[in-house]
Amino acid sequence: MKTEIIPLDTRQVAELARHDVEMALAEDVGHGDLTANLIDRAKTARARIIAREDAVVCGLPWVKAALTALDPKVHLTMHLEEGQRCSANQTVLEMEGSARALLTAERTALNFLQMLSAVATKTAQYVAAVQGTGTQIVDTRKTLPGLRLAQKYAVRIGGGANHRIGLFDAILIKENHIAAAGGVAQVLAKAKGHSAGAAFIQIEVETLDQLREALEHDATMVLLDNMNLPTLRAAVELNRTVGTPRKIGPAILEISGGVTLEGLRELAETGVDRISIGTLTKDVRATDYSMRFDAL
């Protein structure tokens, strides 16, 4: 499966969902659902997925993929669309099909819906906190192994933006890279010579002196790591004064490290362009959904 882009159109999302669900069902079902097999093969059932709390709904393509993988003829009625907000006790979708298939698919479908809605909902909270500042909320590579594209998709559904997908599509120069290369100037020069195919080159700095050096060597995107508010304001001003006269203009400034929802607005008001937050995908509490069956 290709991973060069974060899927957003209907076909790409459906392909990603089928891929993820195939692995999840293989893990969960194995050689067969011993409990669901107690139900008559010809039995049909009707069921509903109900939200138990307010959330941004995300993961419906994964729900559909899980259900149709086990019953291609299942009938689905969506009451909410991807990205819409749901309220506690609201029915998200209804389904009718093979009782065995619905029972077997239940946990896989809910796992994806709970996890992806949690990411989208949390992202939406962070996006709302910086509304009006012009600062963008961005994800990181701190994702669940094997589910990076799905989680980054959920960030987009929640109103956030994606950073690089992995190590292969962009260059992010961090502290250890700088030390190993011999300095900011040296590593930036090396990166520019090896940037073919990279979406961008970004360098992480920890001090204003490092920022100045990066700007003087034509850095276009700079990650400001764990800086306090006064230093961040000074960094934004330095970027204006040193970066503006350059042919390429000021660098894109991004904050990373120690970001919390409580302090987010203050960080955005320093004038930075982006804030990257690992907790969007790393520390999520599953949104509460349940599936209720009505036998026919």
Side-chain angles (χ1 to χ4, degrees):
M1 180 179 166
K2 294 182 179 180
T3 58
E4 283 80 4
I5 58 172
I6 301 298
L8 287 176
D9 70 47
T10 302
R11 181 190 59 79
Q12 292 169 337
V13 173
E15 180 186 355
L16 174 60
R18 285 193 296 269
H19 172 268
D20 291 342
V21 162
E22 182 180 357
M23 292 192 298
L25 287 175
E27 177 181 64
D28 197 32
V29 180
H31 62 271
D33 183 345
L34 300 181
T35 312
N37 287 346
L38 301 175
I39 309 301
D40 189 334
R41 184 184 299 275
K43 185 79 170 178
T44 59
R46 185 182 295 123
R48 296 168 293 137
I49 291 182
I50 304 166
R52 297 304 184 188
E53 59 183 310
D54 296 353
V56 174
V57 176
C58 183
L60 294 177
W62 283 258
V63 174
K64 180 179 180 181
L67 293 167
T68 56
L70 296 174
D71 180 4
K73 296 181 180 179
V74 66
H75 178 73
L76 303 176
T77 302
M78 300 291 182
H79 291 274
L80 289 169
E81 296 181 0
E82 194 85 330
Q84 287 188 312
R85 288 189 173 271
C86 63
S87 301
N89 300 316
Q90 185 172 5
T91 296
V92 176
L93 70 143
E94 294 179 278
M95 65 204 76
E96 185 175 329
S98 161
R100 280 190 180 187
L102 299 188
L103 288 164
T104 300
E106 176 182 0
R107 178 42 51 201
T108 294
L110 287 178
N111 280 349
F112 280 110
L113 187 61
Q114 290 173 333
M115 184 267 291
L116 295 178
S117 291
V119 173
T121 302
K122 191 166 193 175
T123 301
Q125 291 175 329
Y126 280 74
V127 170
V130 302
Q131 188 173 9
T133 65
T135 300
Q136 199 172 41
I137 298 300
V138 182
D139 58 24
T140 72
R141 287 168 46 240
K142 295 177 181 177
T143 55
L144 297 175
L147 293 175
R148 178 168 296 172
L149 290 183
Q151 286 195 295
K152 283 180 172 282
Y153 160 84
V155 167
R156 294 285 286 270
I157 292 296
N162 301 133
H163 204 280
R164 59 180 177 164
I165 300 173
L167 298 173
F168 59 88
D169 64 328
I171 295 174
L172 174 49
I173 303 163
K174 306 195 84 172
E175 176 187 6
N176 289 335
H177 300 108
I178 294 171
V184 169
Q186 293 89 331
V187 76
L188 278 173
K190 193 80 170 177
K192 290 171 186 176
H194 293 78
S195 61
F200 56 80
I201 299 173
Q202 184 176 36
I203 186 166
E204 179 184 81
V205 300
E206 297 177 323
T207 67
L208 294 177
D209 285 340
Q210 282 187 326
L211 173 59
R212 179 182 293 276
E213 186 178 3
L215 293 172
E216 289 173 346
H217 288 85
D218 292 332
T220 56
M221 186 181 291
V222 181
L223 186 64
L224 308 173
D225 185 44
N226 283 302
M227 291 184 178
N228 59 30
L229 287 170
T231 306
L232 288 171
R233 295 187 188 102
V236 171
E237 182 58 31
L238 182 62
N239 188 37
R240 288 197 190 104
T241 56
V242 177
T244 299
R246 305 185 307 174
K247 291 181 180 179
I248 56 175
I252 295 170
L253 296 185
E254 179 180 322
I255 291 175
S256 178
V259 177
T260 64
L261 184 59
E262 293 73 22
L264 191 63
R265 183 80 188 184
E266 278 190 307
L267 291 175
E269 288 174 344
T270 62
V272 296
D273 302 289
R274 295 152 48 109
I275 302 176
S276 55
I277 305 167
T279 191
L280 297 180
T281 52
K282 181 173 69 74
D283 302 321
V284 292
R285 180 190 63 80
T287 301
D288 191 5
Y289 293 97
S290 64
M291 188 183 291
R292 290 291 177 262
F293 283 73
D294 298 311
L296 297 179

